[in-house]
Amino acid sequence: MADTAVASTVPKKSRNNRKALKQKNPSTNESNIMAQKLSETSTATVLSPSDTDPSKENHASHSQPRSSPKKGKSKAAKAKQNKEASASLFEKDFQEMQEMLQQLKLEKEKTETLPFVQVMNDKEQDKKKKKGGNEIKRPCPPYSLWCKAQWNEVKKENPDAEFKDISNILGAKWKTITAEEKKPYEEKYQAEKEAYLKVMTKEKRESEAMKLLEEEQKQKTAMELLEQYLQFKQEADQEENSKKTKKEKDPLKPKQPLSAFFLFCNERRAALLAENKSVLEVAKIAGEEWKHMTEKQRGPYEEVAKKNREKHMQEMEAYKQTKDEEAMNLKKEEEELVKVQKQEALQLLKKKEKTENIIKKTKEQRQKKQQQNVDPNKPKKPASSFLLFSKETRKSLMDGRPGISNSTLTAMISVKWKELNEEERQIWNSKAAEAMEAYKKELEEYSKSLAAATSNDEQQQ
């Protein structure tokens, strides 16, 4: 019976259960956890009933009499109950383990898939940011432009051909085409390329200018914050100084002398303390005695106090003299320091002036050389269309805004020049062209006169 009970309590692993576990494919850690739980449940179910031990069962069977069928039946019922309870427990634990494995598998899949999805999303966002809204396309090379133009014709000629075949046919054709046929596509590519480069350079300059402006704004904000911090620190220091109103005493300053009453108290204190009197009692007794004393009795104390006062006055005069001397010495030292600093500053100024004079002289010498080389009769180059426009707009802006700075003026003029239409610009361009034609005529006349003068000089020599 014991053998059969043990065999029945231990659950048999079915093939279906094994298949389910293999399908899950748990990791090594998960399998270890499952094995531990299963071992715990199995041991609990096997070892919990007392009937499982064969030695105990044999002993109990020998000790009990044979004429007790009711007791045997009750033991069998108990064994059946234990079997059923252990089976139900094992099933519950097995279901829990399956649920745990499913959850772990789902978590593992999430951890593996989420980073990849995040990376893909980040890449898409970066592409969108780079594109912006108004993306400027790069110009197509002449070969691709020709292919776009010839694609439909080749497709009509070869309707069954695939993309690869059509591209091969076009490549072979491109090799046979002459330079004159290729020329329009190359010109189109060059025009598109120039326009693309202009736009890109403009955008690059604008971005660089915006970066510079941001840096300047950051510096301004940093300076403002620094000023605020310094103001706050000064206010805090002032508050701390106001709290510390007590001045430090000078140890060299002579102390004030004692009065006649205090001299009397000092004499009486020793005698009264000897009589075991407290400090308060000593003060009260001395005060009452001083009140009842006559002028003759007070006389010696007052004379001593008078002498001490005279001595204190003399010491104070000497102390004041020393203080005045110290102040005078400090003033002299400060004046000497100021003189030295002024001398150093003057030397630096002289050096700066010398360098500026040298720079001025060199500039003047260069200008003289240029003036000597340049002929005053030579006609000057005319101003460009932008310069002509800027001269007129500068006058109008200066009249409207008298206190405007030069940098803001130039910026406003450039903005207004960009805002002009083609017709408005054409007016200024025509003015500049007229001036250029007149300049060219003057140059021709000047060159002819120069040639005639040189030939005359050669003949005279």
Side-chain angles (χ1 to χ4, degrees), residues 176-190:
T176 57
I177 285 167
T178 59
E180 288 179 359
E181 288 174 342
K182 288 179 183 178
K183 195 176 181 181
Y185 300 103
E186 285 174 355
E187 284 174 356
K188 193 180 179 183
Y189 168 69
Q190 286 293 328

Side-chain angles (χ1 to χ4, degrees), residues 202-396:
K202 190 182 175 183
E203 284 180 359
K204 197 175 181 182
R205 281 194 74 190
E206 282 175 359
S207 63
E208 284 175 0
M210 288 301 291
K211 278 179 185 177
L212 281 167
L213 204 145
E214 282 175 6
E215 284 175 2
E216 281 182 0
Q217 285 176 352
K218 281 177 185 177
Q219 284 178 358
K220 281 179 183 177
T221 49
M223 289 297 289
E224 285 172 3
L225 287 167
L226 210 159
E227 283 174 0
Q228 287 174 8
Y229 169 71
L230 288 168
Q231 283 178 359
F232 173 74
K233 201 175 180 184
Q234 282 176 359
E235 286 171 4
D237 291 336
Q238 283 174 3
E239 284 178 2
E240 284 179 1
N241 291 326
S242 63
K243 284 176 184 177
K244 294 175 182 178
T245 50
K246 289 181 181 179
K247 290 180 180 179
E248 292 181 358
K249 290 181 179 179
D250 190 2
L252 300 169
K253 192 177 179 180
K255 292 178 181 179
Q256 284 189 352
L258 296 169
S259 63
F261 171 68
F262 279 108
L263 289 166
F264 169 73
C265 287
N266 286 336
E267 275 188 7
R268 286 290 293 152
R269 189 178 286 112
L272 292 166
L273 288 168
E275 292 174 4
N276 295 322
K277 301 281 183 182
S278 65
V279 177
L280 289 168
E281 286 174 350
V282 167
K284 281 179 183 180
I285 291 159
E288 285 174 2
E289 285 179 357
W290 181 258
K291 280 178 185 178
H292 296 297
M293 280 173 76
T294 58
E295 287 181 2
K296 284 182 181 180
Q297 288 172 345
R298 286 183 184 181
Y301 299 108
E302 284 176 355
E303 283 177 4
V304 173
K306 194 178 179 182
K307 284 177 182 179
N308 288 336
R309 275 199 295 275
E310 287 172 358
K311 192 180 178 183
H312 178 260
M313 289 289 281
Q314 289 172 1
E315 286 174 353
M316 279 298 290
E317 283 175 1
Y319 173 75
K320 281 178 183 178
Q321 284 177 0
T322 52
K323 280 282 174 185
D324 291 335
E325 286 173 1
E326 284 176 2
M328 287 291 286
N329 290 326
L330 280 167
K331 267 189 179 180
K332 283 178 182 178
E333 285 175 1
E334 284 174 2
E335 284 173 0
E336 285 175 359
L337 276 167
V338 169
K339 282 178 183 178
V340 170
Q341 285 173 357
K342 280 180 180 177
Q343 192 66 30
E344 287 176 355
L346 284 164
Q347 285 175 358
L348 285 167
L349 216 161
K350 282 176 182 176
K351 283 180 182 177
K352 194 180 178 184
E353 284 173 352
K354 277 182 182 178
T355 51
E356 284 175 355
N357 287 324
I358 289 159
I359 291 159
K360 275 183 183 178
K361 283 177 182 178
T362 50
K363 280 182 179 178
E364 285 172 1
Q365 285 172 1
R366 281 177 187 173
Q367 284 175 2
K368 281 178 183 177
K369 283 179 182 178
Q370 285 174 3
Q371 285 173 2
Q372 285 171 3
N373 293 328
V374 174
D375 190 0
N377 298 320
K378 191 178 180 180
K380 290 180 181 179
K381 266 190 179 181
S384 63
S385 55
F386 174 71
L387 283 169
L388 291 166
F389 170 77
S390 63
K391 278 178 185 177
E392 282 196 9
T393 49
R394 191 180 287 275
K395 284 176 185 176
S396 61

Side-chain angles (χ1 to χ4, degrees), residues 7-24:
S8 62
T9 52
V10 176
K12 291 180 180 179
K13 293 180 181 178
S14 64
R15 288 179 184 177
N16 293 324
N17 292 331
R18 278 185 182 178
K19 278 179 184 177
L21 286 167
K22 279 179 183 178
Q23 283 171 6
K24 296 284 176 182

Side-chain angles (χ1 to χ4, degrees), residues 124-142:
E124 285 175 2
Q125 285 176 0
D126 290 334
K127 281 180 183 177
K128 284 177 183 177
K129 282 179 184 176
K130 282 179 183 177
K131 282 181 181 179
N134 302 317
E135 192 188 2
I136 299 149
K137 290 182 180 179
R138 284 190 176 182
C140 293

